[in-house]
């Protein structure tokens, strides 16, 4: 019996979204954004020579057809590769929208976004957080970078005990708190308590952002937890479970889907996640699905507009996934895709609306060409012999 490995390179867009002009970073539309294409250009021009040098070196992804499908996504001719490029229907360029649709369920509503004002949150939400946290106020209450707002308010957070609350252009409500001074369990309980109220507003995720350190330097930990709205219909992982198969999550995918359809989730930084993925390549049962997300492309390099760091991470991933390919069993399917773009050469710090690659190994059907995000779920389901519910 075959197995399937669905791997999301978080934010590796390839340009060409037909509706990019309707999505913005500040006042600039995403028209022309191309995460992978612009990284390649920067490397070739010598603008990404920080702890690496020269043209972007991604032989594994190239062999799987990523350059051909990027050309296709941007109006080029049909590639010779079996791989394809996927277009999103959901009206968001965020993690839940992309992942839900890749798993077979486009988002059926408009997400709620907080205004880029100071303050950003309505008084009733602020009061709800204070009541749940047992504090007289919150810090932040604005759009912000996670690392920057911790640097700005970390010392006052330790002194006052007030949680640091912030948002972004995504439909999120994020709470940062010190693991020792505030307490990790207290932070997680706070997020779990207020999440249902925010979900009623169609805020996609409440995210716990724990950190450690002192005024000399704070750093976020890997104990992040996302409290996401439950998908409105069964998703790919449910389909596989309902067929009596086992489903593994690697990274934050379990949180994205509110643990719907996952038997086991393994977490950590991307290097640890690659180890978990390798373990599952070696040991996962016949008929199983492994669904993985590598978030550091997005969180460490895309949002921070770090082109060289993004290029380094792509080259690391390419080497690692190449080694794993050699360990796949006959009949296994590997699908490497993305959930949205995050062009590190673009203005602002937000995601970018782009098509994404759908790179396949172990697939023997017709060339994929231009497909929809939902077709990824169908591809995996057909390979495993399960039906949408």
């Amino acid at each position: 019996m075959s197995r399937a490995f669905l791997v999301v390179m978080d934010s590796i867009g390839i340009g060409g979204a037909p509706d990019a002009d309707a999505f913005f970073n500040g006042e600039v539309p995403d028209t022309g954004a191309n995460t992978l294409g612009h990284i390649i250009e920067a490397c070739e021009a010598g603008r990404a020579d920080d702890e690496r040098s020269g043209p972007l070196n991604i032989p594994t992804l190239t062999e799987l057809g990523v350059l051909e499908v990027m050309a296709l996504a941007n109006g080029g001719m049909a590639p010779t590769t079996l791989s394809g490029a996927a277009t999103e229907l959901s009206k968001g360029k965020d993690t839940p929208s992309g992942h839900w649709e890749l798993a077979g369920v486009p988002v059926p509503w408009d997400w709620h976004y907080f205004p880029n004002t100071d303050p950003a949150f309505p008084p009733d939400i602020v009061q709800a957080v204070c009541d749940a946290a047992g504090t007289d106020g919150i810090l932040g209450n604005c759009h912000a970078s996670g690392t920057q707002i911790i640097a700005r308010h970390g010392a006052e957070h330790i002194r006052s005990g007030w949680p640091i609350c912030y948002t972004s252009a995504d439909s999120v409500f994020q709470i940062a708190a010190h693991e020792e001074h505030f307490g990790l369990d207290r932070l997680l309980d706070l997020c779990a308590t207020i999440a249902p109220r925010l979900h009623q507003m169609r805020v996609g995720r409440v995210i716990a952002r724990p950190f450690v350190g002192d005024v000399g330097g704070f750093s976020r930990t890997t104990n992040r937890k996302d409290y996401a709205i439950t998908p409105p219909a069964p998703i790919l992982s449910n389909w596989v479970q309902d067929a009596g198969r086992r489903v593994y999550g690697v990274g934050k995918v379990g949180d994205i889907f509110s643990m719907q359809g996952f038997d086991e989730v393994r977490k950590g930084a991307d290097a640890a996640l690659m180890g978990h993925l390798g373990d599952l390549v070696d040991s996962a049962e016949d008929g199983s699905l492994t669904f993985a997300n590598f978030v550091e492309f997005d969180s460490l390099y895309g949002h921070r507009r770090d082109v060289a760091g993004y290029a380094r991470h792509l080259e690391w991933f390419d080497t690692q996934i190449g080694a794993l390919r050699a360990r796949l069993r006959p009949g296994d399917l590997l699908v490497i895709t993305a959930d949205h773009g995050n062009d590190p050469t673009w203005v602002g710090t937000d995601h970018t609306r782009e098509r994404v690659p759908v790179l396949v190994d172990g697939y023997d059907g017709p060339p994929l060409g231009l497909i929809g995000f939902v077709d990824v779920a169908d591809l995996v389901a057909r390979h495993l012999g399960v039906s949408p519910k």
Side-chain angles (χ1 to χ4, degrees), residues 50-376:
D50 182 3
E51 300 183 26
R52 63 161 308 283
S53 63
L56 186 66
N57 184 26
I58 48 170
T60 302
L61 299 179
T62 300
E63 181 181 343
L64 292 173
V66 72
L67 302 183
E68 293 181 72
V69 300
M70 182 169 65
L72 175 67
N74 290 278
M77 297 180 62
T80 59
T81 179
L82 294 177
S83 297
T87 306
E88 185 174 9
L89 295 177
S90 301
K91 297 178 181 179
K93 52 177 179 175
D94 51 73
T95 294
S97 296
H99 279 77
W100 286 15
E101 196 164 329
L102 288 170
V105 179
V107 178
W109 54 65
D110 290 333
W111 296 111
H112 177 84
Y113 301 94
F114 293 107
N116 192 0
T117 56
D118 191 0
F121 307 128
D124 63 312
I125 295 300
V126 173
Q127 188 60 53
V129 174
C130 292
D131 291 344
T135 60
D136 295 327
I138 65 172
L139 300 170
N141 201 348
C142 61
H143 281 235
S145 155
T147 53
Q148 292 175 0
I149 202 165
I150 291 169
R152 187 187 319 153
H153 293 295
E156 175 61 17
H157 162 73
I158 291 173
R159 188 197 67 78
S160 68
W162 291 7
I164 304 170
C165 302
Y166 63 104
T167 188
S168 71
D170 287 349
S171 180
V172 294
F173 188 93
Q174 306 190 73
I175 306 179
H178 199 284
E179 286 195 357
E180 298 165 2
H181 294 279
F182 190 88
L184 177 59
D185 289 342
R186 183 182 173 198
L187 171 61
L188 298 179
D189 288 343
L190 169 59
C191 291
T193 298
I194 66 167
R197 181 166 186 162
L198 288 153
H199 291 166
Q200 289 177 354
M201 298 170 58
R202 299 304 189 203
V203 175
R205 289 175 292 164
V206 174
I207 306 177
R209 291 287 198 172
F211 65 95
V212 293
D214 54 33
V215 292
F218 297 108
S219 60
R220 296 195 293 195
T221 75
T222 58
N223 291 321
R224 161 186 172 160
K225 183 172 177 60
D226 293 35
Y227 296 82
I229 294 179
T230 301
I235 56 171
L236 173 64
S237 55
N238 296 122
W239 311 343
V240 176
Q241 270 194 342
D242 289 347
R245 318 285 183 78
R246 193 163 177 83
V247 180
Y248 297 94
V250 176
K252 65 178 184 177
V253 288
D255 291 343
I256 294 168
F257 296 111
S258 297
M259 289 302 298
Q260 295 296 302
F262 290 87
D263 295 291
E264 179 183 337
V265 175
R266 305 182 185 187
K267 294 186 175 183
D270 275 9
L273 297 182
M274 190 62 74
H276 294 319
L277 181 59
D279 289 342
L280 290 166
V281 166
D282 294 338
S283 65
E285 300 91 338
D286 287 343
S288 63
L289 167 66
T290 296
F291 196 161
N293 171 284
F294 289 85
V295 71
E296 290 177 7
F297 295 107
D298 186 60
S299 62
L300 296 186
Y301 309 114
H303 286 301
R304 301 183 190 184
R305 298 303 189 243
D306 181 353
V307 180
Y310 212 130
R312 289 195 307 270
H313 209 57
L314 272 166
E315 291 172 337
W316 167 81
F317 178 88
D318 190 272
T319 298
Q320 297 294 318
I321 207 71
L324 291 188
R325 282 181 69 202
R327 289 152 54 185
L328 293 171
R329 300 174 188 169
D332 284 346
L333 172 69
L334 172 65
V335 180
I336 303 172
T337 186
D339 52 346
H340 49 71
N342 199 348
D343 189 337
T345 72
W346 211 244
V347 300
T349 60
D350 188 20
H351 297 147
T352 43
R353 181 74 164 188
E354 303 177 43
R355 284 177 165 138
V356 301
V358 182
L359 310 179
V360 291
D361 191 7
Y363 169 70
D364 59 2
L368 296 177
L370 289 176
I371 61 175
F373 274 40
V374 292
D375 295 319
V376 174

